[in-house]
């Protein structure tokens, strides 16, 4: 069985190539995650976007797996046409991003698409209405890097938030990003946070190719109010697994309690805050033994998720 994973990467052609080894330099956690999945599924992997339209389309595959989706139905249809009998899957770990362009292209060609998502079918705004079959798997655990350790880095200081300035999180930002949490983003994005009423302090965007999260002692976990209203999500987001990868302490907003309960992880009250004034105390409560236990749990989750996804893709589930 020939399987192709198409990582629909909005950053362009994908990771840069090492000139000596001619292998991709996987500095971005999402690049590493999709490569991990492709290897587990014994699949070929290509990085594509609207900026790679001149790159030849690959043919001869029995299964196409779109990680996210290309920008337009036409972009996706080219791949479906080139592999006319391939079974089609869509991977998505963001319930707000539906991948509608892929489903519309497939529908026009009479091709079913199966979805592998890290959230329940009922939460989907687009894919859930168009999918032929819905599979739930913990895609976010693929972001975890079990081989990464402290590696001689000094203990970090303070707490960081490094996510995007999402308008649907404005009320949560206004509550927690008011002086006790460093916001690490591009300078133009600082202005977006300031418009929400956030006060910094500010830092450059996290550079995954150098220090990553090592400069900080902890990272705060926030979720959208509509996630809370929907009863939380069954798995933690990428940020939890990225934090563990760097041996850092995750701190949770109290609004995330439903997600915490569903995740299966035992999160102590010392890591949950309901007031920004509690954040320094939560940072100081970091427990290295607990982090090590969570890392072991995340590694087991990752192995299970990869096995599950392989069985789905290769038709044994």
């Amino acid at each position: 069985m020939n399987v192709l994973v198409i990582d629909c990467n909005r950053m362009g052609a994908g990771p840069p190539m090492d000139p000596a080894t001619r292998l991709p330099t996987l500095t971005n956690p999402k690049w590493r995650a999709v490569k991990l999945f492709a290897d587990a599924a014994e699949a070929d992997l290509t990085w594509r976007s609207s900026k790679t339209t001149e790159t030849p389309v690959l043919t001869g595959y029995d299964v196409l797996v779109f990680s996210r989706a290309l920008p337009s139905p036409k972009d996706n249809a080219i791949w479906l046409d080139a592999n006319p009998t391939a079974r089609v899957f869509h991977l998505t770990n963001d319930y707000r991003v539906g991948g509608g362009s892929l489903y519309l292209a497939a529908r026009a060609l009479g091709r079913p698409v199966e979805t592998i998502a890290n959230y329940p079918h009922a939460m989907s705004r687009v894919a859930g209405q168009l999918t032929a079959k819905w599979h739930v798997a913990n895609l976010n655990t693929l972001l975890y890097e079990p081989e990464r350790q402290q590696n001689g880095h000094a203990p970090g200081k303070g707490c960081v938030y490094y996510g995007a300035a999402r308008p649907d999180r404005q009320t949560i930002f206004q509550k927690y990003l008011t002086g006790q949490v460093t916001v690490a983003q591009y300078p133009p994005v600082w202005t977006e946070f300031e418009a929400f009423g956030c006060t910094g302090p500010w830092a450059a965007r996290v550079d995954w190719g150098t220090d990553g999260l090592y400069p900080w002692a902890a990272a705060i976990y926030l979720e959208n109010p509509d996630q809370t209203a929907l009863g939380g999500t069954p798995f933690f987001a990428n940020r939890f697994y990225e934090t563990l990868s760097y041996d850092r302490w995750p701190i949770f907003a109290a609004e995330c309690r439903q997600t915490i309960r569903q995740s299966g992880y035992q999160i102590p009250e010392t890591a949950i805050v309901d007031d920004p004034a509690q954040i320094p105390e939560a940072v100081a409560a970091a427990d290295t033994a607990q982090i090590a236990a969570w890392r072991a749990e995340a590694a087991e989750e990752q192995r299970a998720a990869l096995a599950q996804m392989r069985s789905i893709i290769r038709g044994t589930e």
Side-chain angles (χ1 to χ4, degrees):
M1 178 184 292
N2 296 320
V3 181
L4 176 65
V5 177
I6 307 167
D7 187 54
C8 306
N9 192 321
R10 64 184 179 183
M11 297 180 70
M17 301 296 289
D18 184 301
T21 65
R22 298 304 302 162
L23 295 173
T25 303
L26 303 178
T27 54
N28 186 300
K30 291 182 179 179
W31 291 339
R32 289 194 293 266
V34 75
K35 179 66 164 60
L36 181 67
F37 162 65
D39 288 348
E42 297 182 70
D44 294 336
L45 172 62
T46 185
W47 281 276
R48 298 301 171 102
S49 75
S50 58
K51 298 179 182 179
T52 62
T53 54
E54 300 304 315
T55 307
V57 172
L58 306 178
T59 63
Y61 288 94
D62 305 300
V63 178
L64 295 178
V65 183
F66 290 81
S67 176
R68 298 180 293 274
L70 291 166
S72 73
K74 179 181 177 182
D75 294 328
N76 294 284
I78 291 171
W79 288 89
L80 300 177
D81 280 333
N83 297 274
T85 61
R87 193 175 173 199
V88 182
F89 290 90
H90 176 224
L91 301 184
T92 174
N93 71 340
D94 190 336
Y95 71 99
R96 301 167 308 120
V97 180
S101 59
L102 170 60
Y103 293 89
L104 292 174
R107 172 177 282 189
L109 295 171
R111 303 278 292 277
V113 179
E114 296 183 40
T115 308
I116 305 177
N118 68 324
Y119 51 88
H121 193 171
M123 288 184 70
S124 176
R125 299 176 179 177
V126 177
Q129 310 303 314
L130 300 172
T131 188
K133 189 174 183 180
W134 193 271
H135 307 270
V136 177
N138 189 352
L139 305 182
N140 293 337
T141 194
L142 304 189
L143 274 289
Y144 177 60
E145 299 177 77
E147 73 285 354
R148 184 182 290 280
Q149 298 290 339
Q150 186 76 12
N151 296 331
H153 288 268
K157 296 181 179 180
C159 183
V160 67
Y161 180 80
Y162 56 93
R166 297 182 175 182
D168 49 1
R169 288 189 184 166
Q170 181 172 348
T171 57
I172 294 296
F173 292 153
Q174 289 171 338
K175 179 176 179 179
Y176 290 102
L177 304 186
T178 54
Q180 301 291 354
V181 176
T182 297
V183 178
Q185 263 295 351
Y186 293 117
V189 182
W190 300 348
T191 304
E192 297 177 35
F193 278 104
E194 287 178 317
F196 293 152
C198 305
T199 59
W202 315 103
R205 187 174 185 266
V206 171
D207 187 341
W208 299 109
T210 55
D211 288 339
L213 298 178
Y214 286 130
W216 295 280
I220 193 165
Y221 187 105
L222 307 174
E223 68 181 21
N224 298 357
D226 59 345
Q227 284 177 269
T228 304
L230 289 168
T233 53
F235 310 114
F236 283 139
N238 295 346
R239 295 182 303 285
F240 174 75
Y241 296 101
E242 291 162 351
T243 302
L244 291 187
S245 294
Y246 283 82
D247 273 331
R248 293 321 189 220
W249 184 243
I251 295 173
F252 295 84
E255 288 81 358
C256 304
R257 286 186 182 277
Q258 293 179 94
T259 295
I260 290 171
R261 283 193 291 271
Q262 294 181 75
S263 74
Y265 281 83
Q266 299 301 310
I267 305 298
E269 287 298 318
T270 53
I272 302 173
V273 297
D274 194 28
D275 186 302
Q278 299 169 336
I279 292 173
E281 183 178 352
V283 172
D287 183 335
T288 55
Q290 180 63 81
I291 292 172
W294 287 336
R295 284 176 61 96
E297 193 171 348
E300 181 57 37
E301 271 190 310
Q302 185 180 90
R303 288 190 289 269
L306 288 170
Q308 177 193 5
M309 293 167 69
R310 174 189 165 86
S311 69
I312 293 170
I313 296 300
R314 301 194 74 85
T316 57
E317 176 171 305

